[in-house]
């Protein structure tokens, strides 16, 4: 009996139901997770027998290579899928072709597909991107996507966390955490082996794989002290040639395809028969694989280092001799064998393959290996490699590595007298510095790039460098300078007929004009968008959208912003431009914050708390303002990080919102000195740069803290400026028209009339804005109002996670170890309703698994009833 499928009936039933729903047109995603050896692969192997007869099961495997194979799990599907998908993944290069081919394969009818990707904790970046693409579309496909992973290996910054966060927001998700076997199950499995079940359970803690290994070694008459001992004991008595063959295959961290097996094992697969009979291997005509990754590791780790190096040399030689071998696999074995010449030779190609597939983390890792032996490359080639490495690390938001590499590339170009290369690299260095939040260094590199390229004879590179300066000036609110530089870049771009640079420059000039008070600038930004869309320049189109929307949001033109957000997000989504998609989610979060839709604001802001600092700063600010306005803890820590990022950028678009959020939080807790400390310096900068939105809001908070309004602000019609001048009724009307219910209630609460304050209080109670509502109640008592509504007894009061009453119930039952079906029966609701509640609980607790959620809930004191 396979212990991996014992006590797994509920999970198999859930997968079968999901597959049947997929056959009926309702696709979904299933997450199968647990520790190593818990039986994820066994569940996958048992699944086909439970599926509808017409279902196609496609299984791909992620491998534990030092640097992952780009699109590795999808390459495994070749031979079982159509020619379009097979060609797309083997030829690589065009990731959008891969995405469309995957979509087309899963859309085939009448045979629904069950696509299983195993061990996604080892997935390469290109595969994760492809899975993100699929997750957003599964609901409309006649298919089930099953992802298996080890949840205990996911650090907070693990690449898989972003994908899991996206999955949690998908419409149809099934979570299948796999538990360890019970003592009763171990007793059943031990019945015929003569071992003490209690001893077996004590050694294995019920882990199915460990149980199987201990029982397989039961003939020795005792329970081995460790599972590794159990695995290695099964090698005893095997012919030395078989052991040698096992050790040779064990250094290959994946299934070994038959041609490579034949090359490595000169006697052929027959030498593996005894190992197969002992359950160590699965041998098929196409490939050979260890029955479990833990077996392979146990064998490989038992081999002395000197022999392991030689075994890797054998694999390396076999791969190099075979035309078309995956360069990533070649480099992996070269690194394990210590063959630096092979790394230097094949590493750049492996990096190029990874980058063309969109696997930028893998590309950076390959180039890092190559550059560890940079002296093997001539200076010009080394400069190219450094530039490539800088761009790859910039793309994956490893700013420190990108800056270091690009600086070294610049120094090499300078020493070589390579003027064009130096100018191009200086422009890149400027961009990378900005991305890292280093404003002064970005400006300095930008100036030198233009100086170097001014008379170098390449108008295109010069246009890009000049437009880069325009962008930096625009971002730092130096609008006249931005307009001047952008005008020159526009002329050069038109001269070289470069649509991408033309769009870039039009965007910079239009945004600078518009934000500087010239409404005509908006037309120029929209022209930038049209140029980019017509030329198929997705990145520049996304940037035009982003600047349009940001400026509309700053100007409180929310209805107009609503018009641009859907097509912008659709474009970034279809193009899989995740950087801009993240930024647009943050802009949508700002929009939902204005609408006082706290949950939606948080949901979209969470997209931006990863990697990209220009998105992380406003995302943290939105999350903090929601917590501040709802009276939930944690805002202070979020704003501290946001402020640290903002200060480094020296951009008012970053410092202004964070300073306003800090001032609001300080005022709500009654700390007027902190209001002035947060708002005054940034307000002075905003006045100097004549940036109305930030000037108006920060000036308002200063007046709330006792500072008189600044005369220079008197001519502003911004509602915050009106409130600073005491014109609360006009401000309230403007907030109401703009669709900002929280700001409307706050303005109305400034009325001296109790009736207005009571109206404001009702609005604040409805929004769950407890801190401001508490202040308004205090003011009403001070005015002698006797009958003040107590307000709703919020189910989330005393609940720092913001869980609803029903979510608290679900959380407590989940912590007891109940399954979703059991929770549904206990609460007399549907399983699907419980699925939604569990997903919301995991999101609000920032927990990747149910087990983590239970721990987090205990830390927050949510597992006891706080109601009074």
């Amino acid at each position: 009996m396979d212990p991996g499928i014992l006590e797994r009936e509920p999970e198999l039933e859930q997968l079968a139901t999901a597959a049947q729903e997929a056959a009926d047109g309702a696709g979904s995603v299933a997450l199968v997770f647990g520790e190593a050896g818990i039986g994820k692969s066994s569940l996958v192997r048992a699944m086909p027998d439970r599926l509808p007869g017409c279902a196609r099961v496609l299984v791909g495997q992620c491998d534990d290579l030092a640097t992952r194979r780009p699109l590795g799990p999808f390459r495994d599907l070749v031979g079982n899928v159509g020619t379009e998908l097979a060609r797309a993944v083997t030829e690589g290069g065009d990731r959008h072709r891969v995405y469309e081919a995957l979509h087309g394969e899963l859309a085939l009818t009448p045979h629904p597909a069950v696509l299983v990707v195993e061990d996604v904790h080892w997935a390469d970046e290109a595969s994760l991107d492809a899975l993100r693409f699929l997750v957003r579309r599964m609901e409309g496909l006649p298919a089930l996507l099953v992802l298996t992973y080890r949840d205990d290996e996911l650090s907070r910054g693990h690449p898989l966390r972003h994908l899991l966060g996206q999955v949690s927001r998908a419409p149809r998700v099934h979570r299948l955490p796999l538990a360890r076997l019970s003592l009763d199950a171990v007793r059943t499995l031990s019945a015929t082996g003569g071992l003490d079940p209690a001893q077996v359970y004590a050694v294995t803690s019920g882990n199915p794989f460990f149980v199987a290994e201990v029982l397989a070694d039961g003939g020795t008459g005792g329970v081995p002290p460790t599972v590794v001992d159990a695995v290695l004991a099964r090698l005893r008595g095997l012919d030395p040639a078989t052991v040698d063959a096992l050790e040779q295959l064990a250094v290959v961290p994946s299934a070994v395809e038959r041609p490579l097996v034949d090359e490595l094992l000169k006697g052929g697969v027959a030498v593996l028969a005894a190992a197969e009979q002992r359950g160590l291997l699965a041998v098929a005509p196409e490939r050979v694989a260890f029955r479990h990754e833990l077996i392979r590791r146990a064998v490989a780790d038992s081999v002395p280092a000197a022999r392991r190096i030689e075994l890797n040399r054998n694999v390396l030689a076999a791969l190099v001799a075979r035309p078309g071998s995956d360069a990533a696999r070649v480099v992996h074995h070269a690194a394990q064998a210590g063959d630096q010449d092979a790394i230097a030779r094949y590493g750049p190609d492996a990096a190029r393959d990874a980058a063309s597939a969109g696997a930028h983390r893998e590309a950076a890792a390959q180039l890092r290996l190559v550059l560890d032996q940079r002296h093997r490359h001539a200076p010009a080639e080394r400069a190219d490699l450094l530039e490539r490495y800088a761009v790859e690390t910039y793309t994956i938001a490893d700013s420190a590595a990108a800056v270091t590499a690009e600086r070294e590339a610049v120094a090499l170009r300078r020493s070589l007298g390579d003027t064009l290369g130096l100018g191009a690299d200086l422009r890149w260095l400027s961009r990378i510095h900005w991305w890292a939040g280093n404003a002064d260094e970005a400006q300095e590199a930008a100036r030198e790039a233009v100086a170097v390229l001014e008379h170098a004879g390449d108008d295109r590179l010069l246009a890009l460098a000049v437009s880069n300066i325009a962008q930096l000036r625009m971002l730092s609110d130096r609008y006249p300078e931005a307009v001047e530089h952008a005008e020159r870049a526009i002329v050069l771009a038109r001269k070289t007929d470069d649509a991408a640079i033309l769009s870039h420059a039009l965007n910079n000039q239009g945004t600078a004009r518009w934000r500087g008070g010239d409404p005509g600038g908006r037309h120029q930004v929209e022209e930038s968008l049209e140029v980019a869309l017509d030329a198929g320049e997705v990145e520049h189109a996304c940037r035009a959208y982003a600047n349009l929307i940001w400026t509309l949001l700053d100007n409180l033109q929310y209805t107009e912003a609503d018009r641009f957000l859907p097509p912008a997000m659709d474009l970034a989504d279809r193009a899989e431009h995740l950087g801009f998609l993240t930024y647009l989610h943050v802009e949508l979060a700002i929009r939902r914050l204005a609408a006082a839709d706290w949950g939606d604001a948080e949901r979209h802001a969470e997209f931006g708390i990863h990697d990209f600092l220009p998105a992380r700063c406003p995302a943290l600010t939105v999350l903090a303002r929601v917590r501040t306005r709802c009276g939930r803890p944690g805002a202070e820590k979020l704003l501290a990080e946001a402020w640290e990022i903002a200060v480094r950028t020296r951009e008012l678009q970053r410092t202004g919102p964070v300073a306003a959020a800090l001032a609001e939080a300080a005022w709500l807790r009654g700390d007027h000195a902190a209001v002035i400390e947060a708002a005054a310096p940034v307000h002075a900068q905003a006045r100097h740069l004549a940036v109305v939105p930030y000037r108006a809001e920060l000036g308002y908070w200063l007046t709330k803290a006792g500072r008189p309004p600044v005369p220079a602000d008197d001519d502003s019609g911004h509602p915050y400026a009106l409130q600073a001048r005491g014109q609360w009724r006009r401000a309230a009307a403007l907030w109401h028209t703009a669709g900002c219910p929280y700001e409307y209630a706050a303005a109305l609460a400034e009325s001296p009339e109790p009736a207005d304050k009571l109206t404001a209080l009702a609005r604040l109670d409805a929004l769950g804005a407890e801190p401001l509502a508490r202040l308004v109640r205090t003011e009403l008592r001070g005015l002698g109002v006797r009958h003040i509504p107590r307000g709703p007894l919020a189910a989330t009061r005393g609940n720092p996670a913001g869980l609803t009453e029903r979510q608290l119930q679900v959380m407590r039952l989940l912590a007891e170890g109940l399954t979703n079906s059991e929770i549904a029966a206990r609460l007399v609701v549907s399983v699907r309703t419980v699925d939604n509640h569990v997903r919301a609980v995991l999101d609000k607790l920032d927990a990747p698994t149910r087990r983590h959620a239970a721990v987090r809930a205990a830390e927050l004191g949510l597992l006891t009833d706080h109601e009074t």
Side-chain angles (χ1 to χ4, degrees):
M1 181 184 299
D2 184 350
I5 60 170
L6 198 63
E7 297 187 330
R8 297 290 185 254
E9 197 59 38
E11 289 82 2
L12 288 168
E13 182 179 339
Q14 193 169 350
L15 288 169
T17 300
Q20 184 57 62
E21 291 172 348
D24 295 336
S28 59
V29 181
L31 301 178
V32 178
F33 52 93
E35 63 191 343
I38 201 65
K40 299 180 292 293
S41 295
S42 296
L43 188 74
V44 168
R45 287 194 297 270
M47 183 177 61
D49 293 338
R50 309 298 184 92
L51 300 180
C54 60
R56 296 179 299 133
V57 180
L58 307 170
V59 181
Q61 176 74 48
C62 301
D63 301 321
D64 190 21
L65 289 167
T67 303
R68 321 297 188 205
R69 291 182 300 152
L71 299 172
F74 302 111
R75 292 174 187 262
D76 289 347
L77 305 181
V78 174
N80 296 305
V81 294
T83 55
E84 179 55 33
L85 178 56
R87 288 174 181 165
V89 296
T90 53
E91 293 173 6
D94 187 347
R95 59 178 180 170
H96 304 299
R97 179 188 174 195
V98 172
Y99 301 162
E100 293 304 324
L102 274 170
H103 187 277
E105 188 71 33
L106 298 187
L108 290 175
T109 55
H111 303 295
V114 177
L115 173 58
V116 182
V117 180
E118 292 206 70
D119 294 326
V120 288
H121 52 278
W122 289 330
D124 65 285
E125 185 181 11
S127 295
L128 289 174
D129 285 348
L131 290 173
R132 291 187 191 101
F133 173 89
L134 288 178
V135 164
R136 288 194 290 273
R137 292 157 177 82
M138 287 307 300
E139 188 183 21
L141 287 169
L144 171 63
L145 175 62
V146 181
L147 306 177
T148 77
Y149 62 96
R150 298 181 188 174
D151 61 324
D152 56 349
E153 293 197 6
L154 302 187
S155 62
R156 186 168 186 84
H158 194 286
L160 181 57
R161 290 291 296 272
H162 195 193
L163 173 63
L164 295 179
Q166 183 179 318
V167 172
S168 71
R169 292 181 282 269
R172 296 174 56 79
V173 183
H174 313 277
R175 295 178 179 273
L176 283 73
L178 300 185
R180 293 183 176 188
L181 298 178
S182 66
L183 178 56
D184 285 342
V186 174
R187 188 175 289 116
T188 299
L189 292 167
S190 306
T192 59
L195 293 181
D196 180 357
Q199 273 191 290
V200 173
Y201 187 79
V203 169
T204 64
S205 299
N207 180 291
F209 171 75
F210 298 169
V211 170
E213 292 308 302
V214 168
L215 294 177
D217 189 46
T220 61
V223 177
T226 71
V227 173
V228 171
D229 290 327
V231 171
L232 297 181
R234 295 167 68 185
L235 271 64
R236 297 190 194 109
L238 288 175
D239 185 87
T242 300
V243 175
D244 287 346
L246 285 172
E247 292 177 348
Q248 178 63 78
L249 297 180
V251 300
V252 183
S254 61
V256 188
E257 60 273 26
R258 183 59 181 275
L260 183 56
V261 172
D262 292 340
E263 182 66 28
L264 293 172
L265 308 182
K266 299 306 181 183
V269 295
V271 74
L272 301 173
E276 183 183 14
Q277 288 172 342
R278 293 198 183 188
L280 294 168
L281 290 170
V283 179
E286 303 84 9
R287 61 182 59 86
V288 174
F290 283 87
R291 192 173 59 80
H292 198 285
E293 171 65 13
L294 292 174
I295 295 177
R296 185 194 70 80
R297 284 193 176 187
V299 174
D301 291 346
S302 70
V303 176
R307 174 159 166 73
R308 195 158 54 239
I309 289 171
E310 188 60 32
L311 295 173
N312 274 288
R313 286 188 182 278
N314 295 340
V315 181
L316 174 62
L319 289 173
V320 168
R322 292 174 58 205
S325 287
D326 191 315
R329 295 180 71 186
V330 172
V331 174
H332 169 85
H333 290 286
Q336 297 298 309
D339 190 332
Q340 299 301 330
D341 287 336
I343 293 173
R345 179 177 177 183
Y346 294 100
D349 288 340
R352 191 171 291 107
D353 291 345
S356 66
H360 298 289
R361 278 195 306 274
E362 285 67 36
Q366 298 287 7
L367 289 167
R368 193 179 302 116
L369 276 175
V370 173
L371 288 168
D372 283 344
Q373 300 289 323
R374 64 193 66 190
H375 63 275
R376 295 173 182 270
H377 299 273
E381 185 181 5
R382 194 185 319 156
D384 290 339
L385 289 168
L386 284 162
E387 179 188 307
R388 287 174 58 191
Y389 179 61
V391 173
E392 295 300 335
T393 48
Y394 153 81
T395 303
I396 63 174
D398 185 353
S399 300
V403 167
T404 300
E406 193 56 75
R407 279 177 168 163
E408 189 176 345
V410 164
L412 273 173
R413 303 287 192 199
R414 212 186 295 277
S415 68
L416 292 168
D418 181 357
T419 303
L420 293 179
L422 174 61
D425 274 331
L426 283 166
R427 203 279 308 174
W428 263 118
L429 181 59
S430 172
R431 178 64 177 169
I432 292 168
H433 271 311
W434 178 83
W435 189 284
N438 303 323
D440 293 342
E441 292 90 338
Q443 298 279 4
E444 179 58 35
R447 283 192 293 270
E448 188 182 356
V450 171
V452 167
L453 293 169
E454 192 72 65
H455 304 293
D458 191 318
D459 286 340
R460 183 188 169 280
L461 283 179
L462 178 60
L464 186 55
V466 172
S467 191
N468 179 59
I469 284 192
Q471 181 181 16
L472 291 173
R473 297 293 192 274
M474 177 269 290
L475 291 168
S476 58
D477 303 293
R478 295 159 66 178
Y479 299 137
E481 295 175 50
V483 169
E484 179 183 348
H485 285 289
E487 183 59 43
R488 184 184 179 200
I490 289 168
V491 171
L492 288 167
R494 293 192 191 281
K495 179 181 176 182
T496 58
D497 196 27
D498 192 305
I501 300 176
L502 176 60
S503 173
H504 191 270
L506 286 168
N507 191 343
N508 297 329
Q509 187 173 71
T511 304
R513 288 175 55 200
W514 190 8
R515 296 183 70 83
D518 179 358
R522 174 176 173 176
H523 171 75
Q524 221 168 0
V525 181
E526 291 181 343
E527 182 185 356
S528 164
L529 175 61
E530 292 172 7
V531 168
L533 290 174
D534 288 344
E537 293 285 350
V538 173
E539 179 176 359
H540 293 286
C542 287
R543 182 169 167 263
Y545 270 128
N547 283 347
L548 266 171
I549 293 163
W550 189 277
T551 307
L552 289 168
L553 293 173
D554 268 359
N555 292 341
L556 311 183
Q557 295 174 275
Y558 297 115
T559 303
E560 279 290 279
D562 289 340
R563 185 163 67 87
F564 286 103
L565 275 163
M569 297 183 79
D570 181 63
L571 175 65
D573 188 6
R574 283 188 290 106
E576 286 294 304
H577 205 305
L578 298 180
F580 273 111
L581 183 60
T582 295
Y583 201 81
L584 290 164
H585 271 291
V586 174
E587 290 186 323
L588 183 52
I590 295 170
R591 170 67 182 103
R592 301 319 301 159
L593 176 69
D597 185 344
W598 314 128
D600 219 29
E602 287 184 306
R603 185 166 67 87
H604 289 288
E606 285 165 359
F607 278 90
I609 61 174
H610 306 277
D611 303 333
F612 179 34
L613 292 183
R616 184 173 177 83
C617 183
L620 292 169
T621 306
V622 169
L623 291 170
R625 293 199 97 153
V626 169
R627 295 189 182 198
T628 296
R629 293 178 178 185
C630 293
R632 285 159 40 200
E636 184 177 350
K637 181 180 179 182
L638 296 173
L639 287 175
E641 183 183 349
W643 181 248
E644 181 182 348
I645 296 170
V647 168
R648 287 171 55 202
T649 69
R650 297 181 183 272
E651 294 174 5
L652 194 58
Q653 65 170 333
R654 308 292 174 225
T655 57
V658 182
L662 286 165
E664 179 182 10
W667 184 79
L668 284 171
R669 66 175 183 266
D671 189 345
H672 289 190
V675 172
I676 294 171
E677 181 183 359
V682 185
H683 178 249
Q685 182 188 9
R687 284 183 60 211
H688 173 71
L689 294 171
V691 182
V692 170
Y694 309 133
R695 182 184 72 193
E697 182 172 7
L698 292 168
Y700 165 72
W701 289 117
L702 288 171
T703 62
K704 295 288 281 184
R707 285 277 186 96
V710 180
D713 290 343
D714 286 351
D715 60 350
S716 170
H718 195 285
Y720 272 130
L722 296 174
Q723 285 177 257
R725 300 198 295 269
Q727 299 175 28
W728 59 267
R729 192 174 297 279
R730 283 182 61 198
L734 289 174
W735 287 125
H736 188 269
T737 300
C740 302
Y742 180 86
E743 287 80 2
Y744 166 72
L748 199 61
E750 294 178 350
S751 167
E753 299 298 325
D756 290 325
K757 289 186 182 293
L758 286 167
T759 300
L761 181 60
R763 298 295 181 96
L764 293 169
D765 282 339
L767 295 173
E770 194 272 337
L772 184 52
R774 185 174 61 248
L775 293 180
V776 174
R777 284 189 169 85
T778 300
E779 292 174 357
L780 285 166
R781 284 193 289 270
L783 291 172
V785 178
R786 299 183 59 186
H787 300 293
I788 303 172
R790 291 181 58 196
L793 291 176
T796 59
R797 188 164 296 162
N799 165 11
L803 301 181
T804 66
E805 183 176 4
R806 178 63 90 183
Q807 289 165 357
L808 278 169
Q809 290 177 309
V810 170
M811 175 68 254
R812 289 164 186 162
L813 295 173
L814 181 155
E816 291 177 17
L818 272 64
T819 66
N820 286 12
S821 299
E822 292 167 337
I823 294 172
R826 182 80 63 88
L827 299 179
V828 196
V829 296
S830 71
V831 175
R832 185 166 183 178
T833 297
V834 174
D835 289 343
N836 291 334
H837 284 315
V838 170
R839 183 165 65 245
V841 166
L842 294 175
D843 282 349
K844 289 185 177 181
L845 292 175
D846 189 26
T849 71
R850 298 160 76 96
R851 188 163 63 249
H852 288 85
V855 172
R856 177 69 176 142
E859 291 172 349
L860 295 174
L862 299 179
L863 300 185
T864 56
D865 196 338
H866 290 286
E867 294 180 359
T868 59

